[in-house]
Amino acid sequence: MAQHEAEGDGKPRSGGAHAPGGPAAAHCNAPGKAALVNPARHRMSIRARLLTLVLACLLPVFGFLAWFLDHEAGQAREAASIQLKLVADNIAASLAQTLRDDEELLGFIGDEFRGNPPVRASRFDPEQVMRMHPQIVSFGVRDLRAGNIFNHLATPVPAAKALAFPWVQQGLQSETFVVGGAIKGPVSGRWLTMLTYPVRGGDGQRSGFVNLSHDLLALNRLVMQAVPADAKIAVLDQDFRFLLSSTEPEKWIGKALDPAVADIYRGSAEGYVRAPDVTGIPYLWAFVGVPGAGWRVSVGMAEAEVLAPARALVVRGGILGGAALLLQLAIAWWIAAGINRPISRLEITAAAIASGNGSVRASSDGPAEVAAVARQFNAMLDSIERDRVEREVLSSSYGTLLKNARDIILLVDMQGSIVEANDAALAAYGYSAEELRALDVDQLRTAAAQADIDKDERDALGPQGVLFETEHRRKDGSSFPVEVSSRIVEVDGSIYRQKFIRDISARREAGAAIQRQLDELRRWYDVMLNREDRILELKQEVNQLLALAEQPPRYANVEVDSVAAAAAPPAAG
């Protein structure tokens, strides 16, 4: 894998070599330093993980607490609403009873003025009526043209002017008892509510009406004398004007309710609303109608007071929950610190090792698991240190052996630069060590040998390396033949080409001498082979001449000899 990585980027992983694979480890450049990657930059720390765990565990608790507090607040609102409605019902019942009493009184007065037009009975005593009903400001009787039949006031309003009053129109048109709203008395200047009741003749037909006015401040004192101190009570008329008020009645009676708040009440005879009071403070209100009057009784309590017990519970729960959270976080922080301290010391030890200080060791205190890791880490460092010492001893002896070798030895990086060379290389090429390290290995080849560089270097990447011959050039320009054994080596994690180079000039010269001798022997063989053929021819000629002379052949076996001579190999030399 290291070889593939080196081939991919073409760069060595380190500038030095202190391993047996390096031919001159003692002369390499400064060793490379491994960079520590800080995992905290991308991952959560132990403290963060423990704190997150605590928060995750407490989240359901706080969720339940929030639900419980919200539930308590809802219960407090519901209980307050029930209580407020009960007060509103009581006040509405009291007002309804007062109005029923007024209706009876008006019916009595109407009977006393029965007739068409209405006529006052002789036995009727108006002063007795006023004494028995102190809340009444005045009362009177008018005919169907608003003409004054009787009036408790000394100067009653004339008919022409009275026709402009809503309560007069109300009395003229109504067949039954009618309860009006808040009006300001034209004579007294006080805020009143006007009640009307029809007066009938002997035939049962309306002949006029009785009107009775209540002083709203007096009625307010009567109704509000037994209301809860923490509640606000308002009685509103049909037009949402204040009839009665438990707070500052002189200020608020007769004033209209804010239209936005009135819209909340409109359309419902009773119910519950959350709305601000006249000062803008949020209140919870319960309102009910007063039967037969068109009035609304609204009883409210400040939401802050309603929720005060629940909020006190919230505060207590918040304090207890916050204290529990802080306690849990403190415990988690303490546990995390107990784990983190030995890990931090382990990290410092690793950083010191990476910076070149191989003598430091990790502390084995802290939790048992971390202490076990520290012991294993120290055992690993001890093993690495032993291996380093052994490598240094081996590298020193091996480097000395390679440096003093008779063959040329070069260490070349993956870019082709010469990193290291032994003494035989300096002597063979005529360069100094600095000059040779400034060269690329390709510059040592002659121009004619440059074409085979790519093939030779590519073959060297194989697992067995490569062996090839080429021509190298010395500093003085002379060339000599070499045999190169090239292979990939890894030195301290970095990839290099290690080249063993042998000058084969003598071998080539010896080969040439042997070739010359072989050529000379071949020439002698050819000469000797031709001489035997000539002797055979002479023998044949002699035998032929003897045959012409009719004499027996002198060389009887010449044919056999010639065949044998032709079949036999030539003698060496």
Side-chain angles (χ1 to χ4, degrees), residues 347-386:
E347 181 183 5
I348 294 172
T349 301
I353 293 293
S355 65
N357 185 1
S359 62
V360 296
R361 292 295 181 268
S363 174
S364 59
D365 58 353
E369 294 83 355
V370 179
V373 171
R375 287 193 295 272
Q376 293 297 327
F377 183 71
N378 291 337
M380 179 187 69
L381 293 178
D382 293 339
S383 176
I384 292 173
E385 181 65 16
R386 287 193 299 270

Side-chain angles (χ1 to χ4, degrees), residues 326-533:
L326 291 177
L327 178 61
Q328 294 293 329
L329 292 177
I331 293 174
W333 187 270
W334 176 73
I335 294 174
I339 298 174
N340 193 60
R341 278 193 297 270
I343 292 179
S344 297
R345 288 194 289 269
L346 192 62
E347 181 183 5
I348 294 172
T349 301
I353 293 293
S355 65
N357 185 1
S359 62
V360 296
R361 292 295 181 268
S363 174
S364 59
D365 58 353
E369 294 83 355
V370 179
V373 171
R375 287 193 295 272
Q376 293 297 327
F377 183 71
N378 291 337
M380 179 187 69
L381 293 178
D382 293 339
S383 176
I384 292 173
E385 181 65 16
R386 287 193 299 270
D387 291 343
R388 185 189 65 80
V389 172
E390 292 174 359
R391 283 200 307 272
E392 286 183 353
V393 173
L394 182 59
S395 177
S396 176
S397 59
Y398 188 53
T400 301
L401 178 63
L402 294 180
K403 190 169 183 66
N404 296 328
R406 296 179 61 184
D407 286 339
I408 299 169
I409 301 176
L410 299 179
L411 188 67
V412 181
D413 64 20
M414 297 306 290
Q415 284 75 40
S417 299
I418 298 174
V419 176
E420 194 59 77
N422 67 345
D423 293 342
L426 305 181
Y429 294 109
Y431 290 104
S432 67
E434 291 74 14
E435 291 174 332
L436 198 57
R437 281 195 288 267
L439 298 177
D440 286 344
V441 70
D442 298 346
Q443 294 176 271
L444 296 179
R445 291 203 185 198
T446 62
Q450 293 286 326
D452 297 328
I453 290 177
D454 290 340
K455 177 182 180 302
D456 295 338
E457 295 300 335
R458 185 170 59 252
D459 293 342
L461 297 176
Q464 303 301 323
V466 68
L467 181 67
F468 59 88
E469 293 183 3
T470 185
E471 293 286 332
H472 277 193
R473 181 176 54 198
R474 300 183 180 91
K475 182 179 179 180
D476 59 9
S478 61
S479 61
F480 61 101
V482 293
E483 179 185 70
V484 181
S485 174
S486 179
R487 64 189 297 269
I488 296 296
V489 295
E490 181 178 347
V491 180
D492 286 346
S494 299
I495 307 301
Y496 298 93
R497 290 186 178 96
Q498 181 177 264
K499 296 180 179 294
F500 288 85
I501 303 172
R502 179 169 294 175
D503 185 348
I504 58 173
S505 299
R507 188 170 72 186
R508 286 194 176 182
E509 291 176 0
I514 291 173
Q515 187 63 42
R516 288 194 298 271
Q517 289 177 2
L518 289 174
D519 292 342
E520 185 67 23
L521 287 174
R522 189 172 289 106
R523 284 194 299 273
W524 276 103
Y525 170 75
D526 292 340
V527 170
M528 293 302 296
L529 181 61
N530 291 336
R531 178 183 176 190
E532 292 293 332
D533 290 342

Side-chain angles (χ1 to χ4, degrees), residues 88-105:
D89 286 337
N90 290 336
I91 294 176
S94 175
L95 287 173
Q97 183 60 50
T98 300
L99 294 175
R100 282 194 296 272
D101 293 343
D102 291 337
E103 184 179 5
E104 291 180 3
L105 176 61

Side-chain angles (χ1 to χ4, degrees), residues 264-272 286-290 295-297:
I264 300 175
Y265 289 99
R266 202 181 308 274
S268 298
E270 63 179 51
Y272 304 94
F287 63 94
V288 297
V290 178
W295 295 351
R296 286 179 176 82
V297 179

Side-chain angles (χ1 to χ4, degrees), residues 158-182:
K161 189 175 182 180
L163 286 172
F165 296 153
W167 60 267
V168 173
Q169 295 297 325
Q170 165 187 302
L172 292 174
Q173 299 173 11
S174 178
E175 293 282 348
T176 60
F177 172 68
V178 178
V179 179

Side-chain angles (χ1 to χ4, degrees), residues 10 16 47 115 159 194 202 205 233 287 298 305 308 321 406 479 490:
R47 282 194 179 96
M194 193 69 71
Q205 298 298 317
I233 300 172
F287 63 94
S298 182
E305 294 183 16
R406 296 179 61 184
S479 61
E490 181 178 347

